[in-house]
Amino acid sequence: MDEVEVVVAHSERATLRVGDVFLKVDADQARVDVEVEAMSLAPVPTPEVLWRRPPVLAIAALPGTTLGRLGGPSTGSSAAWAAAGAAIRTLHDATAPPWPGRAGRSTVALAAELDAACASLVTNGLLPADLVTHNRRVAEAALRPWTPVFTHGDLQIAHVFVDGDEVTGIIDWSEAGQGDALYDLATFTLGHEEHLDDVLAGYGTDIDLGVIRAWWSLRSLLAVRWLIEHGFDPFAPGCEVDVLRSRM
């Protein structure tokens, strides 16, 4: 019998690997519906859906390896990072699905969520007030009008697989939908600023770097408390708190 590997697990969902099959357990069926539909619409390689028996979705493993993870060493050549940028551009150029995704929250809702998160971080002593205040100012640049595109919504580098310099697939589409293209680009390069130029070379269009940096701050500020509450460590080297410190 193949060994069962716990890929990620918290109170909202869990992903297990058994041989060449990933089993995603999610009590929120609407989220799974989005994932399956988004993968069927996305014009980039995605995992094959093997079967679905709520609350479990079984998908095939992808060939290749990821480009790394937040807090870990970045891997892959410059060409591989550029290929990822090109794949992201292909996604963003496609017809967007009819529903809003994680990257499609309104600026009003985001500003309110950000203010509440910042107040909580300081009040509960999780982060120094000056660190939070400075990054809240940096984050302001992300709160601007944008044109909706087909976004992944959770485009961490651990969700993009490559084999050599070719993208073999992108996983975890449950947050996909209409959204801000720069949210995806910022999520993908979070903690790996050294590869931003490679990604943008593949993406192939001018990008407002100030907005990318704003999303790094905004996403990190919103993530810290959730990560702590779900058993993750945003204070680990290279992770969200280090990203915030790098903006000072």
Side-chain angles (χ1 to χ4, degrees):
M1 179 177 177
D2 288 309
E3 181 180 349
V4 176
E5 174 191 357
V6 179
V7 179
V8 64
H10 50 76
S11 60
E12 294 181 3
R13 67 190 95 168
T15 300
L16 311 175
R17 180 169 186 168
V18 185
D20 290 332
V21 177
F22 284 91
L23 303 175
K24 302 190 69 174
V25 184
D26 194 328
D28 186 342
Q29 289 308 294
R31 193 158 48 205
V32 180
D33 290 342
V34 166
E35 177 155 16
V36 173
E37 181 69 10
M39 286 194 294
S40 73
L41 296 173
V44 295
T46 61
E48 177 189 0
V49 175
L50 300 175
W51 50 264
R52 180 182 178 188
R53 299 183 190 123
V56 182
L57 173 67
I59 60 176
L62 290 169
T65 59
T66 68
L67 283 169
R69 61 179 177 80
L70 184 61
S74 60
T75 59
S77 64
S78 293
W81 283 84
I88 296 169
R89 179 62 184 271
T90 298
L91 176 67
H92 290 171
D93 283 346
T95 300
W99 65 85
R102 181 70 175 169
R105 290 166 290 171
S106 73
T107 56
V108 173
L110 268 174
E113 186 179 353
L114 181 59
D115 287 341
C118 290
S120 175
L121 290 171
V122 174
T123 300
N124 291 289
L126 296 175
L127 292 176
D130 61 339
L131 182 65
V132 172
T133 300
H134 179 80
N135 276 276
R136 174 62 180 83
R137 286 198 296 266
V138 172
E140 188 70 28
L143 305 175
R144 87 279 177 229
W146 42 268
T147 301
V149 301
F150 193 155
T151 53
H152 180 279
D154 190 21
L155 199 60
Q156 305 171 43
I157 59 171
H159 292 163
V160 178
F161 284 72
V162 298
D163 186 0
D165 298 335
E166 177 185 357
V167 174
T168 57
I170 302 175
I171 64 172
D172 284 1
W173 292 81
S174 62
E175 307 288 354
Q178 294 182 17
D180 179 1
L182 299 196
Y183 180 95
D184 270 356
L185 289 169
T187 301
F188 186 65
T189 54
L190 184 76
H192 290 286
E193 186 172 355
E194 72 277 11
H195 287 292
L196 179 59
D197 287 345
D198 295 329
V199 172
L200 296 184
Y203 193 76
T205 189
D206 290 336
I207 292 297
D208 188 333
L209 297 182
V211 175
I212 294 289
R213 296 185 182 102
W215 271 122
W216 288 338
S217 289
L218 199 159
R219 192 182 189 282
S220 297
L221 287 168
L222 293 183
V224 169
R225 184 170 180 176
W226 185 94
L227 290 167
I228 292 171
E229 291 175 347
H230 288 79
F232 301 101
D233 185 9
F235 293 88
C239 291
E240 284 80 4
V241 175
D242 273 357
V243 171
L244 295 172
R245 289 169 177 154
S246 72
R247 298 299 104 205
M248 298 296 285

